[in-house]
Amino acid sequence: MKIAILRERAEGETRVAATPETIAKFIGLGASVSVEKGAGEASRILDSHYTDAGAKVEATAAAALKDADIVLTVRRPAASALKGAKKDALVIGALDPYGHESDIAALAKAGFSAFTMEFMPRITRAQVMDILSSQANLAGYQAVIEAAHAYGRALPMMMTAAGTVRAAKVFVMGAGVAGLQAIATAKRLGGAVSATDVRAAAGEQVESLGAKFIMTEALKDASGEGGYARELTKEEQAAQAELVASHIAKQDIVITTALIPGRPAPKLVTKAMVESMAPGSVIVDLAAERGGNVELTKPGETIVHKDVTIIGITNLQGRIPATASQLYAKNLLAFLETMVDKEAKALKVNWDDELVKATLLTRDGAVVHPNFADAAPKPAAKKTAAKSTASKANTSRTAGAKASAAKTASASKPAAADKPAAKPAAKKATAAKSGTVSKPAAAKSAAAKSTAKPAASKSTTRKTTARKPAAKKDGDA
Ligand code: NAD
C-alpha cells in the first residue's frame, strides 16, 4: 500500500495533503509513503521532516507516483499529472467537481477512484473528516488577522500615559463556522464585536462568545433546511438592509461570511453602505468566491474604495498554510483510516460505506456520483451500488457548484437551486440518518471561552447535503 504526496501545482496553493504526523500514522497502518521533493515547503514542512517521519522523499512527481495505490492531494490534479500511479489508484482531495466535469471524466477514464472531500456527510462519525469546517474555521480566523493588518490601528482599548485608544468596532455578518471563529478571534484581539445572522439559533452562539447579536424584529428566523439559512423574501431583505445600513456606518471592521445553500452569496453591503464607513475602515468578504456579500468586492483582490479597504481573498486558509495543512491532512488521514484493514495492514475499501458512497466520484473507468451522472459514461452494472446510495445519503454540496459554474460560465451542471432534489449547500451534511447531531468545528474551537454553546446543538437534524468548498474556481478546499 503505497501513498504518494505531490507538490500542489495550482497557483497560489500553499497547502500540502500530508504532514509528518499523518505520515507516521500511515506508516503505522502498513503503508509506505513517497513525497515529492519540496511538497511541504510552503507549509513550513521540510523534506527532512518527512524523511524523519518515515517517508521517502523523491526528486520528481513521477518517482513519487510510481506504483502508488493512493494519491492524496489538496486541489484536483489533472489525470495526466498522475501517470505512473496504479491504474485503479484512489485519488483523494478537494476535487471541486462542479464546473470541472471534464476533469472528473478524465480521472474516471484513467481508471482512478476519485473521492472529493467536500462531499463528506456532516454526520458525527465524519466530523473529523470535514474539510469544509476545518478550513472555514481557519478562514474566519485569518479574516480577522488580515483585517487587523489592513486597519492601521490597534484593535483593543488601551489606556496609556500617552492617551486612550478606543476599541475597534468589528461587525461579523453570518455566524456559521467561519463567522463564529471570526467573532472569537476579534474578541481575543480586544475588538468590540457585534454580529448578525438570519438564523435565530445563531444569536445564542454569538452571545456565548461575548459578542452582541443584532437582528431586525421583522426577521424572526430564516432558518432553512438542515440548519442552514433560507433565502430572504424581498421584505425581509429590505428590513435587513435597513438594519445593516444604520449599524455599518459606525463600524471599523466588517467581516462578511453569509451564504445560502444553492444560491449565490446574498448581497448585504451596498456601495452606499461602504461609503458610509469612516476612512481607514476595512471589509473582509469571505463570501468572495461565491460572488461576495459586498457589492464592490472583487474576488481574489484587495481594493480600496473611498478609503475603505475591501479584501476579497478567496483562499484565506491558504494564508496560514502550516495550520491549514495540519488540519486538512488530519481530515484525510481520518478518512483513509476507514479504508484500511488494520490487521492485514492493507487497503480494503468498503464501497458500501456511506462516507465512501457520498464522496466517490469515479470508479472503474466511469463517473459514478449521481450528481454527475450526465458527465460521463455510466459505470459498469456491478459498480452501481455506489451510485445509488450516494444519491440518497449524500448529496452533494451543490450550492457552491452553481455559484462557481455561474461565475465561470462553464459547462458545469446547474446546481441545487435548479434541481430541487439535490441539496445544495455543501458544508453541511448531517445526521439525519444516524439521528445524531455533531458539533460544528467552529463552535467548539471558536469558543475561546468555554461558555460557547455548540452550534449544532441548536440545529435540527440535518440531511446530508453537500456543497462546494470554500475554494476558488480552481478548487480550493
Ligand atoms: P454557511 O457557510 O452556509 O453560511 C454562513 C452563515 O451565513 C450561516 O450561519 C447563515 O445562516 C448565514 N447567513 C445566510 N444568509 C444571511 C444573511 N442574509 N444575513 C446574515 N447571515 C446570513 O454556514 P456554515 O458555516 O456551514 O454553518 C451553517 C450551519 O451548519 C450552522 O448551524 C453550523 O453550526 C452547522 N454546521 C454543522 C456541522 C456538523 O453538523 N458537523 C458542521 C459545520 C456546520
Side-chain angles (χ1 to χ4, degrees):
M1 178 170 58
K2 174 177 168 177
I3 301 176
I5 312 294
L6 305 183
R7 188 170 52 75
E8 292 295 315
R9 262 55 180 181
E11 196 188 329
E13 185 50 76
T14 48
R15 293 167 292 169
V16 62
T19 60
E21 183 198 348
T22 62
I23 283 174
K25 290 266 167 53
F26 287 134
I27 289 169
L29 289 171
S32 65
V33 184
S34 287
V35 180
E36 182 185 357
K37 188 172 180 304
E41 244 166 40
S43 286
R44 317 285 191 270
I45 303 169
L46 304 180
D47 290 340
S48 59
H49 296 155
Y50 284 127
T51 316
D52 292 348
K56 187 165 181 212
V57 172
E58 300 279 11
T60 62
L65 281 167
K66 193 172 175 344
D67 293 329
D69 300 280
I70 301 156
V71 183
L72 300 181
T73 74
V74 177
R75 304 282 193 110
R76 179 186 63 259
S80 58
L82 300 179
K83 284 200 177 107
K86 282 196 182 144
K87 187 159 167 37
D88 58 350
L90 312 188
V91 178
I92 308 175
L95 304 188
D96 188 20
Y98 290 109
H100 304 112
E101 286 80 358
S102 57
D103 291 358
I104 301 305
L107 287 167
K109 198 166 166 224
F112 300 123
S113 294
F115 295 83
T116 195
M117 293 295 287
E118 306 96 311
F119 285 12
M120 191 60 70
R122 275 183 158 171
I123 55 174
T124 303
R125 177 162 83 94
Q127 216 171 342
V128 63
M129 309 164 203
D130 183 354
I131 63 162
L132 295 176
S133 285
S134 79
Q135 304 298 293
N137 180 45
L138 294 175
Y141 162 84
Q142 188 64 17
V144 178
I145 302 302
E146 300 288 340
H149 179 65
Y151 181 45
R153 295 180 173 86
L155 264 75
M157 186 184 83
M158 293 183 211
M159 298 177 77
T160 77
T164 300
V165 174
R166 71 165 176 83
K169 291 185 184 147
V170 181
F171 181 39
V172 178
M173 305 184 72
V177 176
L180 288 173
Q181 182 57 264
I183 293 166
T185 304
K187 283 294 293 177
R188 290 182 196 115
L189 287 179
V193 186
S194 58
T196 191
D197 200 295
V198 293
R199 294 178 298 111
E204 211 175 311
Q205 294 152 19
V206 166
E207 283 164 5
S208 72
L209 291 169
K212 189 171 171 199
F213 187 63
I214 293 174
M215 200 195 218
T216 166
E217 273 302 300
L219 182 59
K220 298 275 182 263
D221 184 12
S223 293
E225 210 178 320
Y228 293 92
R230 63 164 169 80
E231 195 162 27
L232 303 187
T233 62
K234 286 268 176 283
E235 294 71 35
E236 288 171 333
Q237 282 176 22
Q240 189 188 33
E242 197 183 326
L243 171 89
V244 171
S246 61
H247 190 65
I248 219 167
K250 296 171 246 156
Q251 302 303 310
D252 300 301
I253 292 173
V254 175
I255 294 176
T256 65
T257 75
L259 291 174
I260 301 160
R263 309 294 308 156
K267 286 279 179 275
L268 304 179
V269 181
T270 62
K271 184 173 173 222
M273 290 179 198
V274 172
E275 291 174 357
S276 75
M277 297 179 76
S281 302
V282 181
I283 301 175
V284 182
D285 192 346
L286 269 176
E289 186 270 335
R290 302 259 307 269
N293 292 140
V294 183
E295 196 184 345
L296 299 176
T297 295
K298 289 216 162 53
E301 291 180 34
T302 295
I303 60 160
V304 178
H305 178 80
K306 302 214 167 159
D307 288 324
V308 176
T309 303
I310 303 170
I311 299 173
I313 299 170
T314 48
N315 181 14
L316 272 172
Q317 59 274 26
R319 308 267 291 189
I320 32 168
T323 309
S325 296
Q326 177 198 333
L327 302 186
Y328 180 84
K330 193 71 189 298
N331 294 145
L332 292 191
L333 165 69
F335 185 37
L336 194 50
E337 265 181 332
T338 68
M339 303 188 205
V340 173
D341 180 331
K342 297 196 172 68
E343 288 190 358
K345 298 212 162 188
L347 198 54
K348 190 176 173 196
V349 181
N350 174 4
W351 300 102
D352 290 326
D353 184 281
E354 66 177 315
L355 308 185
V356 169
K357 289 174 183 169
T359 53
L360 183 67
L361 295 176
T362 68
R363 191 180 171 205
D364 286 344
V367 175
V368 297
H369 197 284
N371 290 20
F372 300 91
D374 303 333
K378 299 276 181 288
K382 63 177 177 151
K383 306 299 176 193
T384 47
K387 177 176 174 178
S388 58
T389 4
S391 64
K392 271 198 264 158
N394 170 330
T395 13
S396 68
R397 311 184 162 195
T398 335
K402 319 163 141 178
S404 77
K407 269 185 7 187
T408 58
S410 70
S412 71
K413 224 177 124 160
D418 309 315
K419 299 185 78 186
K423 299 251 166 82
K427 319 175 159 188
K428 353 275 162 145
T430 21
K433 282 174 105 184
S434 62
T436 55
V437 181
S438 57
K439 294 179 189 169
K444 285 193 295 179
S445 57
K449 300 181 175 185
S450 55
T451 48
K453 303 255 192 322
S457 65
K458 308 281 174 280
S459 46
T460 51
T461 332
R462 303 180 175 112
K463 291 187 181 164
T464 315
T465 56
R467 108 175 155 200
K468 196 184 160 191
K472 335 171 141 191
K473 293 175 228 172
D474 281 338
D476 215 344

